[in-house]
């Protein structure tokens, strides 16, 4: 049975380690593909077309928007960023589970357009651990950390809109649990409609009289 890939959307509070989780999944399991975004910003040194981004002019990007060629998109500091639908569909047809690491509003928009998408929300084991992780990064001021924690309070209201809760306490254990959840999703009946229909059609031969079965 040929297995089509699943569109995976991973979100979570800043400091939960969702980026580390995505890296662990793609490094340890060959069936995952990280979505490559399109952008209108200029390539940075070392960035490669089709690996880090699909680099587009603003005119090209706007044409992609008008043609419905993006799963989602947003504009930041005069540059556009978006997820090309063709790339994602190509990877899924090849059997790859495609990961999109995006924020909540974008995730919910994807769920509206693609109800079959699997939404995973990454959280720390508790609130104190979240604060500790943010402080240990030593990359932000106390005020920025405070804003991130207040943002987490707001974002927590959307957790129930996701399909699964992923608690990231130990990274490797979290990776294995997440992988198990995703793999089990492949066996959901609604993801296997074509196989079920074929099986049901083939089973109907047993309803035929014995003579007709023998003739077949």
């Amino acid at each position: 049975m040929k297995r089509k890939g699943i569109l995976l959307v991973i979100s979570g509070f800043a400091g939960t380690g969702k980026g580390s989780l995505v890296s662990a999944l793609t490094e340890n399991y060959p069936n995952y593909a990280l979505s490559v975004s399109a952008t209108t910003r200029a390539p940075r040194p070392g960035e490669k077309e089709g690996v880090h981004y699909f680099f587009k002019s603003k005119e090209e990007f706007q044409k992609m928007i008008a043609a419905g060629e993006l799963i989602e998109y947003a504009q930041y500091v005069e540059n556009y960023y978006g997820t090309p639908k063709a790339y994602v569909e190509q990877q899924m047809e090849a059997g790859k589970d495609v990961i999109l690491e995006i924020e909540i509003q974008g995730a919910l928009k994807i769920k509206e357009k693609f109800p079959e998408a699997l939404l995973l929300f990454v959280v720390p084991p508790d609130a104190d651990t979240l604060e500790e992780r943010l402080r240990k990064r030593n990359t932000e001021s106390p005020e920025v950390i405070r804003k991130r924690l207040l943002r987490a309070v707001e974002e927590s209201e959307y957790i129930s809109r996701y399909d699964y809760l992923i608690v990231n306490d130990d990274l490797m254990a979290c990776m294995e649990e997440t992988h198990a959840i995703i793999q089990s999703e492949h066996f959901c009946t609604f993801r296997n409609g074509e196989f079920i229909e074929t099986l049901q059609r083939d089973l109907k031969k047993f309803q035929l009289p014995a003579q007709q079965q023998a003739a077949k």
Side-chain angles (χ1 to χ4, degrees):
M1 179 176 68
K2 184 180 178 182
R3 190 176 78 170
K4 184 179 178 180
I6 296 175
L7 179 59
L8 309 169
V9 180
I10 295 181
S11 305
F13 312 137
T16 55
K18 57 185 180 293
S20 298
L21 173 60
V22 170
S23 295
L25 285 168
T26 54
E27 289 169 8
N28 287 277
Y29 297 103
N31 57 297
Y32 295 113
L34 187 61
S35 174
V36 179
S37 297
T39 183
T40 57
R41 75 161 174 76
R44 293 170 182 163
E47 289 184 335
K48 296 179 180 179
E49 169 72 16
V51 176
H52 298 92
Y53 285 97
F54 295 111
F55 295 100
K56 305 290 183 181
S57 67
K58 286 191 175 180
E59 292 75 16
E60 289 174 327
F61 200 101
Q62 288 166 349
K63 286 180 180 178
M64 292 177 74
I65 294 173
E69 296 175 2
L70 297 169
I71 292 176
E72 55 83 34
Y73 69 92
Q75 186 174 13
Y76 300 102
V77 195
E78 298 184 355
N79 284 310
Y80 285 104
Y81 296 83
T83 304
K85 186 188 297 183
Y87 175 82
V88 170
E89 291 178 343
Q90 179 185 26
Q91 294 296 314
M92 289 171 63
E93 286 297 329
K96 295 280 189 177
D97 295 325
V98 182
I99 300 174
L100 276 66
E101 183 189 337
I102 58 177
E103 47 78 34
I104 292 171
Q105 297 305 321
L108 296 180
K109 286 180 181 178
I110 286 178
K111 191 68 171 178
E112 289 178 5
K113 290 182 180 179
F114 304 91
E116 72 280 6
L118 183 64
L119 270 57
L120 310 173
F121 199 96
V122 184
V123 298
D126 53 60
D128 290 340
T129 299
L130 178 63
E131 182 179 13
E132 180 183 358
R133 287 178 181 175
L134 287 171
R135 295 192 185 284
K136 280 186 174 180
R137 295 200 299 193
N138 292 319
T139 57
E140 297 160 338
S141 67
E143 180 59 26
V144 171
I145 291 173
R146 178 177 173 276
K147 288 180 179 179
R148 291 197 180 280
L149 292 171
L150 290 174
R151 177 67 174 166
V153 176
E154 298 173 359
E155 292 176 334
S156 68
E157 297 297 321
Y158 293 90
I159 293 176
S160 60
R161 303 278 295 276
Y162 281 66
D163 298 305
Y164 287 92
L165 183 69
I166 307 296
V167 180
N168 188 7
D169 191 358
D170 174 84
L171 178 60
M172 297 313 289
C174 178
M175 176 198 72
E176 291 173 0
E177 291 169 0
T178 304
H179 177 67
I181 288 170
I182 295 166
Q183 294 313 298
S184 69
E185 276 290 309
H186 280 282
F187 298 94
C188 288
T189 53
F190 84 90
R191 297 188 190 277
N192 292 278
E194 186 176 338
F195 174 81
I196 292 170
E197 288 177 9
T198 300
L199 180 61
Q200 289 172 333
R201 184 173 61 250
D202 289 347
L203 286 169
K204 287 180 180 178
K205 68 184 179 183
F206 298 120
Q207 295 176 326
L208 298 173
Q211 296 88 341
Q212 288 181 265
Q213 289 186 40
K216 286 182 171 292

